[in-house]
Amino acid sequence: MEKEYVVGVDVGGQTTKIGIVDRNGAIPAQTVISSKYGPDEGEKFMDSVCLTIQNLAAEVGGMEKIQGIGIGAPNGNYYTGMIEDAPNLPWANGKRVFLKQYIGTRLNVPVTVTNDANAAAVGEMTYGAARGMKDFIMLTLGTGVGSGIVIGGQLVYGHDGFAGELGHTRAVRQNGRRCGCGHDGCLEAYASAIGVARTAREWLESGKYPESVLAGVQEITSKDVYEAAVKGDRLAIDVFNYTGKILGECCANFVAFSAPEAIVLFGGLARAGEYIFKPMREAMNANLLAIWKDKISIIPSALKESDAAILGAGALAW
Amino acid sequence: MEKEYVVGVDVGGQTTKIGIVDRNGAIPAQTVISSKYGPDEGEKFMDSVCLTIQNLAAEVGGMEKIQGIGIGAPNGNYYTGMIEDAPNLPWANGKRVFLKQYIGTRLNVPVTVTNDANAAAVGEMTYGAARGMKDFIMLTLGTGVGSGIVIGGQLVYGHDGFAGELGHTRAVRQNGRRCGCGHDGCLEAYASAIGVARTAREWLESGKYPESVLAGVQEITSKDVYEAAVKGDRLAIDVFNYTGKILGECCANFVAFSAPEAIVLFGGLARAGEYIFKPMREAMNANLLAIWKDKISIIPSALKESDAAILGAGALAW
């Protein structure tokens, strides 16, 4: 009997999304469970994942219809199949959690693990904007900046499984902002949702934009900045121009590395459309070697954000 | 009959080195021919290459012993088999030269073409310091800065065959030096032999190093800087510290991309040993994410410089 489905598991800081995925990217069954378990409750969490998978599988004909399980998780490592120290998950903070081994043995199905941005890249290649592409770079612009790099149709894992940390390449060398990783000037400190909100706040505080509609907002988010830009707010538009320029400059470096056909943007900031794409495209082209100028596309993800994580994780398992 | 040999062809601006290579990396026959042909003499050059290959092959038993020909050339493209516009070669300046098609048809042997830095990386993987490695980055620090990137045991060509232009990633963002490519602040403008000599000259002219032994040198080269450093010259040592720091910072970005096991240095500057390796290693580690700190090696090429080009080009053909 052909196995018609895979399972996609997206482990987030608060919740874990689990879905059954077919070959066309439809999701006939899905649900959300809590990721909140205590420091010693990693197995309890994995038990909950296993039980949920069995229940969802029952809706499509049982576990014998499942070809494999793909798991996208913070610091998920493809080679070891583990989460290797994820500070945002109390049960994985400072320790290794054997996802692949535990869940694979329990359910007797092959399990593939990687980090969320890599899973997103595979999802995009299988079902989304990068279908048919063999060389592209996925940037996930969310709370942080993640990346998944595909070269010759293969996800790049590196010698240790941790390749693709483009959010921690240096975007600003002089007086760069402190990043969560402890270094200064990382791309993530500027081009994440948090970075955009911070830029807006800093510029407001500088007093240069007294008329900005953002002046009245209590806790500015990147969504507030986007909505202000749509209203024509100068500060908000400048923030996107600044962020897009930094992103574009970094992308020129990425292109010099792997000569991708396209850069695919995913996540909250990607929804800002041309406010961010235009300055990004201009800065990238201004910094590319002549052989690449105007030849590398920057395109938005084609996956629905609500489904992308499950699709991406599931696609790992095909 | 087993084909025991390949031919390695290294096309340089002045001369072209051609050698017969066996499976152990020995070079039983080799010679050097001129690369100097006029704008319309591309075929004449290729005829000369073909004739030379036939003559060398005769020394080891004839063309039927040759499995393939590997050619490393400026802007050599793996996918198209052509030199795609090489400004330093009058016969390839502003035009495409069909190396693979012409020579392959003429000699009836498979021809593989790539650029010189990629060829060096393959040579290092086959015969040199990267033997057994599946993930490493080769930096060739010569007149320019070239690079060959190996991921999962495969050379990275990118969607168009031009991947691995790490010399043109931005090393200095503010008031960066003008690079030969027309952009400012490229790694090549600092970490090439020309860049090192330029740093020394600029610092001399600044008057901050009145006692430097380099003050008496007419046309400073990177070799002069090295020799001065060995004598303990402060300027020269500072130049290597500065260059190594820039290289190391850029390498941290490269590691974030592909998580290589090692970075292999080849070319004139690599011979400066710890004068350049030490500051490079320190700057790289100071800029790496914690997962990689002190885990990525920076190592010198293990190939004799005089043989490396032929070995690298030849290794392409296995």
Side-chain angles (χ1 to χ4, degrees), chain A residues 252-259 289 291-292, chain B residues 115 117-118 136-141 144-151 156 162-171 179 181 185-191 246-247 250-255 257-258 260 262-265:
Chain A
N253 280 354
F254 306 157
V255 170
F257 199 103
S258 69
L289 286 178
I291 44 170
W292 289 310
Chain B
N115 71 40
N118 282 346
F136 70 98
I137 295 174
M138 178 96 188
L139 291 180
T140 62
L141 307 176
V145 173
S147 61
I149 301 160
V150 173
I151 292 180
V156 174
F162 291 119
E165 285 290 353
L166 299 186
H168 299 287
T169 55
R170 209 69 65 242
C179 176
C181 74
C186 291
L187 177 58
E188 174 163 304
Y190 296 86
I246 287 177
L247 265 168
C250 286
C251 283
N253 280 354
F254 307 156
V255 171
F257 198 102
S258 69
I263 291 169
V264 184
L265 296 195

Side-chain angles (χ1 to χ4, degrees), chain A residues 270-293:
Chain A
R271 283 200 300 272
E274 283 302 299
Y275 289 109
I276 191 115
F277 278 77
K278 185 165 180 286
M280 191 175 164
R281 209 180 287 125
E282 286 172 358
M284 181 177 80
N285 281 312
N287 285 277
L288 283 178
L289 286 178
I291 44 170
W292 289 310
K293 222 172 269 290

